[in-house]
Amino acid sequence: MICNSTINYKRHTGISMAMLMLSLCLFLLCGTTAWAQVDQGTITGAVQDSTGAVVPGADVTLTDTDTGLVLTRKASNSGTYVFSPLKIGNYTVSASAQGFQTTTRGNLHVDIQSSLNVVLTLQPGTASQTVTVNDEPPLLQTQQSSIGQVVSTETINDTPLNGRNWVYIAQLTAGVAPPFGNTRGSGKGDFVANGQNAEQNNFILDGVDNNTNLVDFLNGSSFVMRPPPDALSEFSLQTSNYSAEFGHSAGAVMSASVKSGTNQIHGDVWEYLRNTNLDARNWNAQTNPPYHQNQFGATLGFPILRNKVFYFGDVEANRISIGQTNVYSVPTALMRQGNFSELLNPALTGAAQPIQLYQPNSGGTQRLTCNGQNNTFCPNQINPVAKNILNMYPAANANGGKTYNNLVENVGRQDDTFQWDQRLDWNISAKDQAYARYSYLHEIITNGLPLGPILDGSGFGGQHDTNLAENFMLSETHIFTPNLVNEFRFGYNWGVFKFLQPNANNTTLAASLGLGGVPNLGPGQGGLPVGYFNGVIQQWGSTGTQNEAQNVYQILDNVTKVIGKHSLKMGVSFQSIRFFDRYAPASLGHYNYNPVYTGSPGVSFTGSAVADFLADQMNTGNIANAPNVNHQQWYYSAYGQDDWKLTPRLTLNLGLRYDYFQPYKENSGAQANFVANPSSLGIGSGSAVYELPSRMRNLSLSPLFLSTLAKDNITLRYLDNQRLATSRMVNFAPRIGFAYQAHPNTVFRGGFGIFYGGLQSQGNTDLGDNYPFSNSANIPAPNCFANNCPSLAGQGVSLETGLVAKTGGGLQNFVQFPGFHAIDPQIKTPYTMSYSFGMQQALTNNLVATISYVGNISRHLPLYYDPNTVRGLFNPSVSTQQYQPFPDFSGA
């Protein structure tokens, strides 16, 4: 895997990725790491006598009271000891030495990413004598400089949560706020930490990747898995100056851990109920909208083999049924017969004057009449396909016979989620521990269809939105010596997320209604094209569909070495990210009807879009292809961290991290980049290069497209670099922090660090969505002349033939102001410089007050880049197409 990247990037930078990673690892071996591992923690401290003098070489024993695991260490010459990494749980620590009684400290709980400082004081006596201390461990953070908070399982379960979504608890912590703008994950708990983008947060579950890597976040959040609150042991949120162990992005790190089994059988069962009868009515509402929710599940943990093998599992189902009252406009019973006489009555239309219709394409010279009845089609003038579609509309049931807002429907929405987690822990020996977890999530959202199961009318997506995800991890910890520990992890993060239009798998439905020329794109893209009526009545058909999927493989290895007062940790991570996207906004066609052909050109209160439809007089049409975009990239990282207990009161956290974010590529080469020369961009002029991978040399490009490039001073170029971009290879991120215990009840903490944020999905920079791989055809009707406005019917476009008469030669021949997505070919990795200073004061044994100042300075933040933006200010009524740097192309 690394060899491929080495060959690729030697050509562009002269630096071998393998050599760079090796050099960094050698540097790390020479010196510097953090006690708190991703989903684990540390117990450290010193052994001393009653006078405070250190006791070197003391025997220190740690016991996991939940699983019976026993570990031993020797205190160093400075009297210090370290147990790391440790799983979240409850422990006791004891120390003994010749001439001293054995001292045992109990009631110790290790939190996620925490470091407990436990001082063991030995009293004179014999080792057979034991002194047991069960005081609560101190709440002061005397070993770490990071800013954050640990949320326990008790807090998670005791906090009132809508839908029991514990991610919302993060918004209650210092420096965190709800997201702003159009963040797609706002409905599922995404948050902003210290001003960073919500998409810059790093979600970790049991130490492995739990992030959404999709371009459009179809699952509705930046994370993938969210186990039920009862299944979590706890979670940690770090917002600033965290260890060099953490990278991926520059925002907060939210690390959660699923419970493990213990020697005691434990579990619970729950059901949460909400329905309309229990809801309070809004002050301004007549009734409560229908709402029913049942959320139920259970957890169970037990020993399979006492002190050796443990199991924990959970399962939860959530059933939500919502009814929402909506108002639509549908054709009246008379309109379905071709009788539009109701338009002559302003009391029924809400218009200021009667609306007169004319014979189609008569230019307003001949009124529409049949047997002397005004505004009425004769039967032979009505297109049978159009009439059949109108008759499939639900009948009007409201608004006293008016032609608008005449359908009131209770449109339902069903949201069903089923998820479970399974975890197995194995204490192989005192030198080897392993555990694995597998999580599964399946959510199906069924949306009601206002026009019924065939005509749809619901908008983008439609009937079924599906989220299907799996997450697997494996961890093995090996203790070579009491002071040298290695942990290996493997993670797999998979997901498929779909917005499927109704009848997506029915590729013959359109033909069964008499609609011809509708592309057969195979299962997943079936259904109907869409018909718009210029806002007069609800559109029929399906406006689009979208599929996204991801496969993320991750390999991590961490080594912890204790040398005297230094706790060193170093590690590497290799992450393969693959994601798929298919966006089909108009793959079956859009048919647009305006009150043009049954009206009089330039005369108000004439014409009807529905009447034009019955006469099969289409005003405009458009269609777009739906390319399958398969992206792939690698993310490499390595780090070293040294937590140096310089004195009993002062701990330094020193770290260095390296991140490499490879530019993504489309696996089949189907991507292009638009690179403009910034200094050339002006009013109506500019120069640029249109870049394609060299493997696309044999791809046929439309002559019209090539001539348009030349006309606008755009050069066509093929690159051997299949990714069409290079990224920085010197992303070194130092982390420096300290914790100083000035008084037994007072700690000062501070730090500075650089945090790279190179992984952030941005759908608007998808190079796979460029011409010719993604293209659309807009088919306008001819211009009016001599009071005559010819429709597309004169060019062979009809409901029976579709748009084939115009698109039969292929969409690549349509080059009508195409837009391009563009990225900087020399990618500058965004990063944040974060600094903090704070103080903690213990008010009581179980109450601590903290005050901190946190600052961020960010550079190279990603923005939506449009090189074809107009360089000037113009009156809003002025068309600026000719003033763009590339007048024959549109914006990105």
Side-chain angles (χ1 to χ4, degrees):
M1 294 180 294
I2 301 177
C3 293
N4 292 335
S5 294
T6 300
I7 295 173
N8 188 22
Y9 284 92
K10 268 187 175 180
R11 179 172 58 249
H12 299 290
T13 64
I15 301 176
S16 164
M17 174 62 71
M19 290 300 296
L20 186 59
M21 297 292 284
L22 178 60
S23 300
L24 181 62
C25 291
L26 290 174
F27 169 78
L28 297 177
L29 289 172
C30 297
T32 61
T33 214
W35 292 329
Q37 305 219 10
V38 178
D39 66 331
Q40 302 182 72
T42 294
I43 293 180
T44 182
V47 182
Q48 62 186 33
D49 60 20
S50 56
T51 67
V54 299
V55 181
D59 296 313
V60 185
T61 302
L62 178 137
T63 303
D64 185 335
T65 57
D66 297 324
T67 65
L69 177 67
V70 177
L71 302 174
T72 60
R73 297 285 189 273
K74 284 277 190 184
S76 68
N77 291 335
S78 60
T80 60
Y81 68 92
V82 176
F83 289 94
S84 180
L86 296 176
K87 294 179 182 178
I88 300 167
N90 301 300
Y91 295 87
T92 63
V93 178
S94 63
S96 62
Q98 186 174 2
F100 294 94
Q101 302 178 35
T102 299
T103 295
T104 300
R105 183 74 180 270
N107 200 26
L108 301 174
H109 179 78
V110 172
D111 290 318
I112 189 170
Q113 299 170 19
S114 68
S115 179
L116 289 184
N117 184 38
V118 180
V119 177
L120 298 172
T121 302
L122 303 185
Q123 302 295 333
T126 63
S128 60
Q129 296 174 299
T130 301
V131 176
T132 302
V133 180
N134 284 315
D135 293 341
E136 290 285 341
L139 294 177
L140 288 176
Q141 297 183 33
T142 62
Q143 310 296 308
Q144 294 172 301
S145 58
S146 61
I147 303 295
Q149 182 174 339
V150 174
V151 181
S152 66
T153 183
E154 292 82 5
T155 302
I156 296 172
N157 282 302
D158 291 345
T159 303
L161 297 169
N162 184 12
R164 307 184 73 233
N165 183 352
W166 47 268
V167 180
Y168 280 106
I169 298 178
Q171 298 181 14
L172 303 178
T173 60
V176 176
F180 44 82
N182 295 320
T183 300
R184 299 202 175 192
S186 58
K188 290 193 175 181
D190 276 6
F191 55 89
V192 172
N194 295 326
Q196 297 290 334
N197 289 340
E199 294 81 9
Q200 276 292 312
N201 296 324
N202 183 16
F203 290 89
I204 300 172
L205 183 60
D206 286 329
V208 298
D209 180 81
N210 187 33
N211 294 285
T212 301
N213 294 278
L214 308 174
V215 295
D216 278 333
F217 297 98
L218 285 191
N219 66 323
S221 67
S222 296
F223 55 86
V224 178
M225 288 293 177
R226 180 178 54 81
D230 304 74
L232 290 185
S233 56
E234 57 191 32
F235 74 83
S236 168
L237 181 69
Q238 295 187 82
T239 59
S240 180
N241 289 327
Y242 36 81
S243 161
E245 182 178 3
F246 300 102
H248 182 280
S249 43
V253 177
M254 175 174 273
S255 181
S257 181
V258 173
K259 290 178 179 176
S260 65
T262 67
N263 281 326
Q264 302 297 321
I265 299 176
H266 60 282
D268 62 344
V269 179
W270 64 87
E271 179 173 9
Y272 293 84
L273 170 67
R274 175 183 171 187
N275 61 39
T276 309
N277 295 330
L278 300 176
D279 287 346
R281 189 176 75 242
N282 288 337
W283 68 271
N284 59 347
Q286 298 297 318
T287 61
N288 281 340
Y291 189 104
H292 303 277
Q293 179 174 1
N294 289 83
Q295 194 168 9
F296 52 93
T299 67
L300 179 63
F302 57 86
I304 297 176
L305 184 61
R306 187 174 178 83
N307 292 339
K308 283 290 186 180
V309 184
F310 310 91
Y311 166 83
F312 178 84
D314 66 80
V315 61
E316 182 179 72
N318 192 12
R319 305 286 183 256
I320 303 175
S321 179
I322 306 172
Q324 182 175 353
T325 301
N326 291 332
V327 179
Y328 304 96
S329 296
V330 297
T332 66
L334 289 177
M335 290 179 180
R336 299 165 197 244
Q337 303 170 19
N339 185 338
F340 290 85
S341 59
E342 293 163 313
L343 298 182
L344 297 171
N345 186 350
L348 298 179
T349 64
Q353 298 179 21
I355 299 175
Q356 177 63 53
L357 304 188
Y358 295 89
Q359 290 289 348
N361 296 309
S362 69
T365 61
Q366 183 180 358
R367 288 190 175 187
L368 179 66
T369 61
C370 183
N371 297 325
Q373 188 170 3
N374 193 13
N375 271 19
T376 302
F377 283 105
C378 290
N380 62 348
Q381 292 181 290
I382 299 175
N383 181 277
V385 175
K387 182 178 180 180
N388 180 45
I389 290 175
L390 282 192
N391 284 329
M392 295 178 69
Y393 270 77
N397 63 6
N399 210 13
K402 292 182 173 64
T403 61
Y404 61 95
N405 295 343
N406 54 5
L407 176 65
V408 178
E409 282 189 336
N410 184 27
V411 180
R413 186 175 189 266
Q414 188 78 26
D415 187 344
D416 295 336
T417 302
F418 178 72
Q419 65 183 87
W420 49 265
D421 306 276
Q422 310 289 319
R423 173 166 168 163
L424 194 67
D425 289 71
W426 183 17
N427 291 339
I428 304 171
S429 68
K431 289 192 173 184
D432 287 282
Q433 297 89 45
Y435 77 98
R437 175 197 43 81
Y438 177 79
S439 298
Y440 173 87
L441 168 71
H442 193 193
E443 179 182 20
I444 299 177
I445 301 174
T446 304
N447 299 299
L449 306 178
L451 302 186
I454 296 179
L455 288 192
D456 181 13
S458 61
F460 183 79
Q463 191 166 20
H464 296 298
D465 302 337
T466 303
N467 297 325
L468 180 62
E470 300 173 7
N471 189 286
F472 172 79
M473 63 81 55
L474 172 68
S475 170
E476 201 281 333
T477 301
H478 179 71
I479 302 174
F480 290 98
T481 69
N483 293 327
L484 180 61
V485 180
N486 184 81
E487 184 202 23
F488 170 83
R489 291 192 191 229
F490 171 79
Y492 178 53
N493 187 11
W494 175 88
V496 174
F497 313 97
K498 299 179 180 180
F499 281 7
L500 289 182
Q501 61 192 32
N503 306 296
N505 293 318
N506 187 343
T507 58
T508 62
L509 179 62
S512 70
L513 297 185
L515 296 169
V518 178
N520 186 345
L521 302 176
Q525 295 190 72
L528 298 178
V530 64
Y532 285 109
F533 296 100
N534 195 28
V536 179
I537 64 173
Q538 186 70 13
Q539 87 277 354
W540 57 268
S542 303
T543 59
T545 184
Q546 186 170 7
N547 291 2
E548 291 187 343
Q550 70 173 28
N551 281 277
V552 181
Y553 300 88
Q554 187 177 23
I555 294 176
L556 308 96
D557 195 79
N558 300 306
V559 179
T560 302
K561 173 68 174 178
V562 178
I563 304 176
K565 297 180 179 181
H566 298 267
S567 180
L568 308 176
K569 185 178 178 184
M570 56 206 73
V572 294
S573 173
F574 303 96
Q575 194 171 114
S576 172
I577 303 171
R578 300 172 182 267
F579 54 94
F580 163 84
D581 177 50
R582 182 174 64 203
Y583 174 54
S587 58
L588 302 181
H590 284 188
Y591 306 156
N592 303 295
Y593 300 89
N594 292 310
V596 175
Y597 308 111
T598 55
S600 178
V603 180
S604 301
F605 302 104
T606 64
S608 165
V610 180
D612 281 12
F613 174 63
L614 272 182
D616 197 13
Q617 302 292 306
M618 192 184 304
N619 181 236
T620 62
N622 62 82
I623 191 169
N625 65 348
N628 296 331
V629 181
N630 289 278
H631 284 313
Q632 179 272 335
Q633 70 179 142
W634 280 94
Y635 166 43
Y636 306 118
S637 63
Y639 74 94
Q641 182 82 21
D642 180 9
D643 289 326
W644 180 11
K645 200 171 184 63
L646 192 61
T647 71
R649 293 187 175 187
L650 177 61
T651 300
L652 300 182
N653 306 128
L654 308 175
L656 179 65
R657 182 177 181 85
Y658 174 77
D659 290 298
Y660 174 70
F661 306 95
Q662 187 182 41
Y664 64 80
K665 72 170 182 178
E666 210 287 324
N667 285 332
S668 65
Q671 66 179 18
N673 195 14
F674 187 82
V675 183
N677 180 0
S679 62
S680 70
L681 302 180
I683 303 297
S685 65
S687 64
V689 177
Y690 180 67
E691 298 179 340
L692 286 165
S694 57
R695 60 193 296 189
M696 294 288 106
R697 288 183 183 275
N698 296 326
L699 179 68
S700 177
L701 299 177
S702 164
L704 178 59
F705 173 73
L706 295 176
S707 63
T708 305
L709 288 179
K711 179 181 178 182
D712 281 11
N713 197 26
I714 302 173
T715 304
L716 178 65
R717 182 166 63 192
Y718 294 91
L719 295 184
D720 290 336
N721 179 6
Q722 304 300 300
R723 302 179 187 275
L724 305 182
T726 59
S727 55
R728 285 172 51 90
M729 301 186 67
V730 289
N731 296 330
F732 291 96
R735 313 278 173 86
I736 303 171
F738 72 92
Y740 177 64
Q741 191 170 10
H743 183 271
N745 294 331
T746 306
V747 175
F748 292 95
R749 298 184 298 123
F752 170 84
I754 294 178
F755 304 83
Y756 286 96
L759 294 182
Q760 178 176 332
S761 297
Q762 296 182 85
N764 53 17
T765 57
D766 186 355
L767 300 185
D769 197 28
N770 277 334
Y771 180 92
F773 315 107
S774 176
N775 196 26
S776 62
N778 297 312
I779 307 170
N783 293 327
C784 298
F785 62 93
N787 291 328
N788 182 28
C789 296
S791 70
L792 289 178
Q795 302 184 46
V797 174
S798 68
L799 292 172
E800 289 84 352
T801 62
L803 306 176
V804 174
K806 301 292 291 184
T807 63
L811 294 185
Q812 70 273 12
N813 294 319
F814 285 83
V815 186
Q816 301 166 325
F817 302 109
F820 292 114
H821 298 289
I823 63 172
D824 188 341
Q826 303 292 330
I827 298 175
K828 301 174 181 63
T829 310
Y831 67 93
T832 295
M833 295 177 286
S834 180
Y835 49 92
S836 66
F837 180 79
M839 182 187 77
Q840 278 191 326
Q841 179 68 39
L843 304 178
T844 67
N845 287 338
N846 55 10
L847 180 62
V848 170
T850 303
I851 183 171
S852 299
Y853 175 84
V854 178
N856 282 336
I857 301 174
S858 297
R859 295 287 186 269
H860 302 312
L861 297 180
L863 295 174
Y864 180 38
Y865 176 56
D866 183 2
N868 206 20
T869 299
V870 176
R871 268 65 182 174
L873 297 176
F874 294 87
N875 189 301
S877 63
V878 175
S879 173
T880 59
Q881 182 70 44
Q882 59 181 320
Y883 302 117
Q884 295 177 163
F886 308 99
D888 296 286
F889 292 86
S890 64

